[in-house]
Amino acid sequence: MKKGVLLSFLVFVLTVTGYAQKSPVDETDMAVKGIPRKGQRVTIQLDSKRVDESWQKQLNTQFGSKLKSDKGIYSLDGIVIEDISKTPIRVISKVDAQPTGTSVWWSIDLGNAYLSKEATPVQWKAGEKYLKDFARMLYREDLAVQVAEAEKQMVASQNNHIAVIAKAETIKKDIEKNKARKVEIQQQLAQNAAELLQYNNQIDANLKEQEAARADIVNMRVALEAVKDRANKIE
């Protein structure tokens, strides 16, 4: 368990380091329903389904009924994102799985121009910050999940350690019981040997008693024959 916890910790550290370096925003053209559009794209190293759900949730939370979805294309008409534009803008967005993670792309029609790095640098920076903030939010959420999982693993490791210690104590008690039982058995064996010796002595004594009893019988027969013999001699 200690090895597993250490591995989780290392993965956690490497992930945090990676997150700090992997939220790039670049300018990318994309064809939406056959129409090429210039836009911004942020790449996030997380599952595309999760990113898509979070992006849709954020747009829906901020702009409510103005959000429309059509086959994976999100569109927002007449919304205001204060940091990007004080006047209503039109947004078209799409989330795609990429070999390096998940991309969140959007194209913003400012009314008099499309958001671009050269033509609208101030708005570009604001849009870049919006996308990076979204990426950081997802990373923080993901890290929170990892922390919670690491804490669960730590608790499990601690519980396992306690159980192992308790098992060791149980084994020690069993060893002491075994030793005590061994002493008891040795005492019983010694007692058994003494009893066996006593029984053997009793057998020897009994054999002597049997020999004495046979001798008494022989003597009694001799005495009886002598009495009979005297009785036969009486006239």
Side-chain angles (χ1 to χ4, degrees), residues 55 58-60 62-68 74-93 106-111 130:
W55 182 242
Q58 175 159 312
L59 296 178
N60 187 60
Q62 290 184 350
F63 308 112
S65 60
K66 290 182 179 291
L67 174 65
K68 293 180 174 57
Y74 301 116
S75 60
L76 295 155
D77 288 318
I79 65 167
V80 175
I81 302 178
E82 290 287 339
D83 293 337
I84 297 176
S85 175
K86 305 296 183 183
T87 59
I89 59 177
R90 184 169 186 264
V91 176
I92 295 178
S93 180
W106 67 0
S107 175
I108 299 178
D109 182 355
L110 298 170
Y130 187 96

Side-chain angles (χ1 to χ4, degrees), residues 208-226:
K208 291 178 181 179
E209 289 176 353
Q210 290 181 41
E211 186 64 28
R214 282 195 294 271
D216 287 344
I217 292 173
V218 171
N219 292 333
M220 289 300 296
R221 283 178 179 173
V222 171
L224 178 61
E225 290 298 326

Side-chain angles (χ1 to χ4, degrees), residues 98-113:
Q98 302 290 338
T100 57
T102 303
S103 67
V104 177
W105 174 90
W106 67 0
S107 175
I108 299 178
D109 182 355
L110 298 170
N112 56 355

Side-chain angles (χ1 to χ4, degrees), residues 109-174:
D109 182 355
L110 298 170
N112 56 355
Y114 279 94
L115 183 73
S116 69
K117 188 178 293 187
E118 292 185 2
T120 58
V122 175
Q123 290 85 350
W124 167 272
K125 283 292 183 182
E128 180 182 43
K129 181 178 181 302
Y130 187 96
L131 293 179
K132 283 191 173 184
D133 285 346
F134 172 71
R136 292 190 186 100
M137 178 192 73
L138 289 189
Y139 287 148
R140 282 193 294 268
E141 290 177 354
D142 189 63
L143 287 176
V145 171
Q146 290 190 46
V147 168
E149 183 61 28
E151 288 176 345
K152 285 171 59 178
Q153 291 182 12
M154 179 62 72
V155 170
S157 179
Q158 290 172 339
N159 290 339
N160 181 69
H161 184 246
I162 292 172
V164 169
I165 292 175
K167 183 177 180 180
E169 292 301 320
T170 299
I171 293 173
K172 288 179 182 178
K173 291 179 181 178
D174 289 340

Side-chain angles (χ1 to χ4, degrees), residues 22-41:
K22 297 182 179 179
S23 297
V25 175
D26 55 13
E27 189 169 44
T28 305
D29 293 344
M30 183 177 291
V32 179
K33 295 182 179 180
I35 302 173
R37 298 178 183 275
K38 187 180 295 293
Q40 288 179 313
R41 179 181 64 183

